[in-house]
Amino acid sequence: MNKFVGYRCSLCGEGYSPLEVTYTCPKDGGNLDVVLDYDALKNKYKPEDILSRSDPSLWRFLPLLPVQEPSRAATPLHVAGGTPVYRLRRLAARLGLQSLWLKDESRNPTASFKDRASAIVVARAQEISAEVVVTASTGNAGAALAGMAAAVGQRAIIFAPRSAPQAKVAQLLVFGAKVILVDGTYDDAFDLTVKAAEEFGWYCRNTGYNPFTAEGKKTAALEIWEWWEGAHEKWHEEVDADEDHVPLTIFVPVGDGNIISGLHKGFKDLYRLGWLPDVPRIIGVQAEGSAAISNAFHAGSEAIVPVSARTLADSISVDLPRDGVRAVRATKETGGTYVNVSDEEILQAIAELGTQGVFAEPAGAAAYAGLVKAAGSGVVGSEDPILVLNTGSGLKDVRAAMQAVQPAPIIEPTLEAVKQLL
Ligand SMILES: *Cc1c(COP(=O)(O)O)cnc(C)c1O
Ligand SMILES: [Zn+2]
């Protein structure tokens, strides 16, 4: 069965066949949605067929992905996806919420959500026999591409801003990618990557620009669907909810807007297959100093006006978001909204998540910071079931982590000194 039938432009609606285009709409530069053969999929599969697959990684959803099964031998790093969901009872109580969970994407192989996109893009690169895959990255997308490429012996080139956190640059280098640090912003690196890919014939993974990134990211929505199918009945009994289907509310940190639009795409795919009655409510969280998508949403517009981004959350520091239009729609079409958080609120969130055993990088903690704000202002109710995404590991940016906590005291190695301290 040929499940991948083409693309549709998110701006003008024009359709393209799979080999007709590679990146964005030739007419207006709009990002392309991957179109699957929903009728054929519906005829061939039931949810049970997919949920009974034994592969715990994101490849368990292969029937709904626009790539063929990558050969086992060629792709040892098959563990992207399948990330755990934790119940955060103490933080829920502190916020006056009944039910709060966190999906920990820091548990992906290179420690961020980006592994989902890179797994699918590298599978696509192998299908189209690309020699080199290149990406612009604030660090995580590059680490994910470099790691996945290293695992399958694919050549990778990464353009990152020279200000990228050390740990992320170390990952790129250790994975053996060609790393080029750009004396400029992520946006500068992005534009340069597109030009270089064109000039040298490289396959470009750039977030949003490459339609397969959202397809990889949608696998988190498929996992959330599967998890909530199993969890919501138990939850119903526990809280004694009367309604049959109380939709989940999901908090997502937003930079380029590709994670949030990928999640939305995943839920829309499930809805079109008739497998999901209620699409969850999606709430995007942006850093105050990098809020171009939030600005557009609150202006009731899809016109994304670039900002001059300033935030310590480097993974969501973006002047011109590359998936802004679809990111606005992800909240508008699901009854969600956008919340902005300050760097201080992000640091506070790192510390609070830490008290429940979750170590998040600043961008990852931003989603929780957004929930704190939303709970305080009535955007979510105390009875709403809520899922927060942590998109990246705190080990990615230790400098920021140290800003979130008090420094440890240093003492003489004597019992006397310990007594004095306590
Ligand atoms: C990339 C990234 C984000 C934001 O994803 P976008 O698709 O750019 O909106 C959030 N958190 C982390 C850790 C990331 O690496
Ligand atoms: Zn178009």
Side-chain angles (χ1 to χ4, degrees), residues 112-114 138 140-141 168 207 217 253-260 315-316 318 361 363-364 391-392:
S112 87
F113 194 107
K114 298 291 196 294
T138 60
N140 286 339
K168 296 182 182 181
T207 294
K217 288 169 174 176
V254 176
D256 272 320
N258 192 240
I259 291 182
I260 198 167
S315 298
I316 50 173
V318 181
E361 71 163 90
T391 45

Side-chain angles (χ1 to χ4, degrees), residues 7 9 21 55 63 105 122 213 379:
Y7 303 101
C9 174
V21 290
D55 190 337
E105 291 293 311
V122 167
T213 56
V379 170

Side-chain angles (χ1 to χ4, degrees), residues 47-95:
E48 304 85 85
D49 300 329
I50 293 187
L51 303 183
S52 65
R53 289 164 60 95
S54 60
D55 190 337
S57 78
L58 57 74
W59 295 113
R60 78 195 268 98
F61 299 108
L62 183 68
L64 307 183
L65 294 170
V67 287
Q68 305 302 319
E69 179 105 57
S71 106
R72 277 275 149 198
T75 52
L77 270 199
H78 261 194
V79 286
T83 54
V85 175
Y86 309 128
R87 187 90 186 247
L88 302 183
R89 290 186 193 273
R90 268 175 286 129
L91 290 180
R94 204 183 301 167
L95 297 175

